[in-house]
Amino acid sequence: MAVLGRDDESLAPRARALAQVAATLTAEPWALTREAMQGLGRQGIDEEQTEAAVGVISMFNYFTRVADATGIEFDYLTPLPAFKPDLRQVTAPRPDRSVLSRPDAGPRPRPRHQQLRMAWESWRTYVLETDEPLSRRERRLLASVAAEEAADWEGAEALSEPKSDEGSDDVLAGFARKLSRQPWRMEAGDLERLRASGYSEEAVLHAISVVAHQNADSRLVAGLRAASRT
């Protein structure tokens, strides 16, 4: 209830530290600091638990985007009140590429926990390297835009592909941009634009998964990188 009401101060210190990291990594992954991650340590959360927390937060940035894009609604009883996002909320301004250029950032971090790393890499390979019903180029285009919207410039550059002259590329890019930055505003019309560009129902679902996964991956990297600097 405190989280739904954005009343972090009423949470116990350990829960408050986790909630604040989750909020920052979700809304402003570029703003996650070493100090915030150190706050987890001060609450007795060790390195393995911190990695698990970053993994959970990142995964839910996938789940919520899939739900928002497909219009999934709760169909089971819950004691929690119905949650309706504030459609008037303002998206946190993303910094320019020059602000976050970090040539000394080092290798892109991956999970140390073997099961998490293996599951994540297997999932990523499937999402980005499958040829049907979207081409690899289309998948990388979607993922590159999603990474850019998370200010994950390193990821965006690694995924960058030359755009084609087809108008469908602009439709894909616009879809990836909105689902990444304003998932709470997704509407049926966003999917209809993909269908109108010739994408099958299966291709639409794959497009959602690619964008949602890259949002998760960019946050996983941001979280692990901030944690590694503690």
Side-chain angles (χ1 to χ4, degrees):
M1 292 297 293
V3 170
L4 287 176
R6 298 186 178 183
D7 181 19
D8 289 355
E9 293 306 312
S10 69
L11 295 170
R14 179 183 172 100
R16 186 186 311 136
L18 286 166
Q20 290 173 348
V21 166
T24 302
L25 190 53
T26 294
E28 302 176 86
W30 53 84
L32 188 64
T33 64
R34 179 178 66 177
E35 289 72 26
M37 303 307 280
Q38 288 176 331
L40 298 183
R42 287 192 292 271
Q43 297 304 322
I45 300 172
D46 63 24
E47 291 184 9
E48 186 175 4
Q49 292 170 323
T50 295
E51 182 173 287
V54 169
V56 169
I57 295 164
S58 301
M59 278 294 297
F60 270 84
N61 271 274
Y62 172 86
F63 291 138
T64 55
R65 281 174 172 79
V66 170
D68 285 333
T70 58
I72 293 175
E73 296 181 359
F74 286 123
D75 59 357
Y76 54 87
L77 295 177
T78 171
L80 294 174
F83 173 71
K84 293 184 179 180
D86 180 4
L87 299 181
R88 297 170 298 176
Q89 62 183 295
V90 178
T91 306
R94 185 197 67 195
D96 293 333
R97 182 186 298 258
S98 59
V99 174
L100 287 185
S101 58
R102 293 191 345 228
D104 59 340
R108 196 168 175 84
R110 309 314 291 174
R112 295 180 184 179
H113 190 279
Q114 184 178 12
Q115 287 183 311
L116 175 59
R117 183 176 66 252
M118 290 177 63
W120 199 280
E121 294 302 335
S122 175
W123 179 31
R124 185 162 180 78
T125 297
Y126 173 75
V127 166
L128 290 181
E129 302 302 327
T130 307
D131 290 314
E132 295 290 341
L134 293 173
S135 69
R136 294 188 187 187
R137 189 192 66 80
E138 289 171 319
R139 292 170 186 274
R140 291 175 72 87
L141 170 63
L142 288 163
S144 179
V145 172
E148 184 178 291
E149 290 304 318
D152 176 10
W153 305 115
E154 171 194 21
E157 288 181 5
L159 291 160
S160 180
E161 291 277 348
K163 286 185 65 176
S164 73
D165 293 330
E166 299 178 13
S168 58
D169 273 11
D170 291 332
V171 174
L172 288 175
F175 178 81
R177 210 171 298 285
K178 183 175 180 180
L179 183 54
S180 296
R181 295 283 278 154
Q182 296 180 306
W184 58 87
R185 299 192 66 180
M186 295 299 293
E187 301 171 336
D190 296 304
L191 303 186
E192 286 302 327
R193 276 185 281 278
L194 291 178
R195 297 184 184 109
S197 294
Y199 292 103
S200 67
E201 204 66 27
E202 186 180 4
V204 169
L205 292 175
H206 274 250
I208 293 169
S209 189
V210 171
V211 175
H213 170 76
Q214 185 56 52
N215 272 275
D217 192 71
S218 291
R219 284 162 174 81
L220 180 75
V221 169
L224 294 180
R225 188 160 276 159
S228 71
R229 295 197 297 270
T230 61

